[in-house]
Amino acid sequence: MNILLKSAKIIDASSEFHLKKRDILIVNGKIEKIAGKIDAPNKTTKVIALKNLHVSVGWFDSGVCFGEPGYEERETIANGLLTAAKSGYTDVVLNPDTNPVPDSSSDIVFLKNASRGHATNLHPLGTLTAKAEGSDLAELFDMKNAGAIGFYDFKGPVENPNLLKIALQYAQNFDGLVYSFPLDKNIAGKGIVNEGHVSTKLGLKGIPAFAEEIQIARDLFVLEYTGGKLHIPNISTAGSVKLIAEAKKKGFDVSCSVAVHNLRFTDTVLEEYDSKYKVIPPLRTNNDIKALIKGVKDGTVDFVTTDHRPMNIETKAVEFDNSANGTIGLESAFGTLNQFFDLETTIRVVTYGRERYGLPSESLEEGSRACLTLFDPTTEYVFEESHIASASKNSMFLGNRLKGRALGIINNGQAVL
């Protein structure tokens, strides 16, 4: 398919066309020409001329869940990838939140095969331990060879520090990325929200900030001893930002992410006991949000993930204590981030990070593969259920005013608008 983008403003700090309006001609999946004015070469060329059209390198999300296999009622791989495409994402890292979990090479092959032919690329994570039970390492090397780009017991901390030590040492043999979720279960106990004034007022059991921070401190000590590549997903506290900043100054090979909702909401939204705000890690305080945003700006926080986790209504429409953790976030991510940061920072946040996973970086220049996201950064609207493409509708962003929206993607020779 040949595609011609008309009068698109390019947002790419590494490009000579940064902040300039240009026509972009795409032929057979590659960017053939970028110029002030390009005429369609033939009648079969698809011309895309949209109001306030902006274009960047394709967006990348380091953490989504779909459900398939095992939880197809939440989301299938096919609809999940279509949702990601409509939300502007050309590449997503798939969390091992399935039944069964992907802990072998055959499981990774299944996920890769199920994602073939879609505009959005799916990059699966395998579990760190067999059946994600935290006892024995899974088939890390075999999964890596099958296409796994990292190893993670989804939202499950590595409770045994010796197991983390062995994993980091072993994974160095094949440049594997090891995840460790930041939570000390013994300190968190049966907590379900941030421990503080709000949890006391509402009578809900809390998870103190240091339950996250003490686990990160332990993991960093292990990393200092072993070497290797460590990723800490979904940090949520100011103390966590400080610990990781100090580790990076020491030269540790550590990265981290924060979920979009942990940049937007504080635990004060819990006062109506609405289960759509129940997530792990929990929503924290305004001081934590300020530190996290600062960490994103200065590069301490490497990724802002949507932490997209569809959940069927039966798991959410119950008492707060008994409801499942998770919110969807793909559809609302850009419109939320674009409120916190200037446009160039927002685009950096949503495009950075492929290299950490050993994936090739993308560029917006003539001769490059066409991996592009189309978007309008200025339109403002109230996020409603009609904006949700996911099968599940459990979004804590419903009713919020957003700024900017994705218009679609061009990737793998396809255009999804």
Side-chain angles (χ1 to χ4, degrees):
M1 177 190 293
N2 295 345
I3 300 171
L4 177 61
L5 302 179
K6 297 294 292 182
S7 192
K9 188 171 184 178
I10 296 172
I11 308 296
D12 182 351
S14 65
S15 169
E16 63 179 294
F17 302 109
H18 182 48
L19 300 180
K20 298 177 180 177
K21 282 190 175 183
R22 293 290 186 271
D23 289 359
I24 303 173
L25 178 62
I26 299 164
V27 177
N28 296 326
K30 286 191 175 183
I31 300 174
E32 183 171 281
K33 188 176 181 181
I34 302 175
K37 187 177 186 307
I38 303 174
D39 294 323
N42 51 55
K43 293 182 179 180
T44 62
T45 299
K46 182 180 179 67
V47 178
I48 299 176
L50 301 172
K51 182 181 179 182
N52 200 29
L53 175 61
H54 288 59
V55 63
S56 73
V57 167
W59 299 350
F60 174 80
D61 188 353
S62 65
V64 304
C65 300
F66 290 152
E68 183 183 357
Y71 301 121
E72 286 84 355
E73 73 278 9
R74 299 178 185 175
E75 189 66 279
T76 63
I77 289 174
N79 193 66
L81 290 174
L82 179 60
T83 298
K86 290 180 177 179
S87 303
Y89 290 89
T90 58
D91 294 84
V92 295
V93 175
L94 183 67
N95 288 317
D97 184 29
T98 57
N99 184 23
V101 293
D103 63 354
S104 69
S105 57
S106 59
D107 296 323
I108 299 301
V109 169
F110 167 80
L111 295 170
K112 295 289 287 184
N113 287 340
S115 67
R116 293 189 190 282
H118 290 272
T120 295
N121 301 313
L122 181 148
H123 308 287
L125 295 169
T127 60
L128 184 65
T129 63
K131 298 182 180 179
E133 292 178 345
S135 298
D136 303 300
L137 287 183
E139 302 172 4
L140 306 189
F141 180 67
D142 288 345
M143 287 193 289
K144 171 80 171 181
N145 287 339
I149 62 171
F151 310 104
Y152 180 27
D153 289 353
F154 178 67
K155 302 271 173 131
V158 183
E159 296 187 61
N160 182 349
N162 190 56
L163 185 68
L164 178 63
K165 175 178 79 78
I166 294 170
L168 285 166
Q169 290 173 327
Y170 176 56
Q172 289 178 60
N173 294 308
F174 48 88
D175 197 31
L177 180 63
V178 173
Y179 275 58
S180 182
F181 186 68
L183 181 71
D184 186 306
K185 281 189 172 182
N186 293 315
I187 295 172
K190 296 181 179 179
I192 55 175
V193 299
N194 179 57
E195 183 174 275
H197 172 74
V198 173
S199 66
T200 302
K201 177 182 176 182
L202 300 180
L204 296 171
K205 294 178 180 178
I207 301 174
F210 86 96
E212 174 173 307
E213 295 155 8
I214 199 169
Q215 188 83 356
I216 291 176
R218 185 210 72 173
D219 291 349
L220 292 173
F221 271 115
V222 175
L223 179 64
E224 183 177 22
Y225 178 79
T226 61
K229 294 168 60 176
L230 178 67
H231 181 69
I232 301 173
N234 299 84
I235 67 171
S236 66
T237 77
S240 297
V241 176
K242 183 178 179 182
L243 285 167
I244 292 168
E246 291 171 350
K248 288 188 172 185
K249 286 180 182 177
K250 294 178 182 177
F252 293 7
D253 193 353
V254 60
S255 56
C256 68
S257 66
V258 63
V260 173
H261 49 260
N262 283 106
L263 298 177
R264 171 64 180 86
F265 299 100
T266 67
D267 56 358
T268 57
V269 299
L270 299 172
E271 295 190 352
E272 294 183 1
Y273 297 93
D274 192 332
S275 64
K276 71 183 180 183
Y277 296 111
K278 188 180 179 186
V279 288
I280 190 74
L283 302 175
R284 301 286 188 180
T285 68
N286 195 50
N287 285 337
D288 292 309
I289 287 180
K290 289 179 180 178
L292 290 163
I293 289 177
K294 182 176 182 295
V296 172
K297 289 180 177 179
D298 66 25
T300 300
V301 179
D302 301 271
F303 304 96
V304 178
T305 174
T306 66
D307 198 25
H308 179 83
R309 193 185 190 198
M311 301 298 296
N312 47 305
I313 191 170
E314 292 84 0
T315 66
K316 279 292 195 178
V318 294
E319 296 85 355
F320 190 90
D321 279 13
N322 298 323
S323 64
N325 291 306
T327 180
I328 59 173
L330 280 168
E331 298 97 327
S332 53
F334 176 68
T336 302
L337 291 172
N338 199 36
Q339 294 175 314
F340 304 143
F341 308 111
D342 62 78
L343 180 58
E344 291 179 56
T345 301
T346 299
I347 296 304
R348 176 182 67 79
V349 165
V350 295
T351 57
Y352 174 81
R354 290 174 172 84
E355 298 85 356
R356 182 62 172 166
Y357 293 91
L359 301 171
S361 59
E362 302 291 349
S363 59
L364 206 167
E365 57 188 24
E366 292 180 356
S368 296
R369 189 176 75 88
C371 174
L372 306 175
T373 296
L374 316 181
F375 59 97
D376 174 359
T378 60
T379 183
E380 296 189 21
Y381 59 102
V382 175
F383 188 66
E384 300 174 344
E385 194 167 305
S386 61
H387 297 121
I388 296 176
S390 303
S392 297
K393 312 300 178 186
N394 57 305
S395 172
M396 68 171 71
F397 295 90
L398 286 169
N400 280 257
R401 191 161 191 84
L402 305 183
K403 180 185 177 184
R405 70 173 69 192
L407 302 175
I409 66 170
I410 298 172
N411 194 40
N412 295 334
Q414 302 176 52
V416 177
L417 300 175

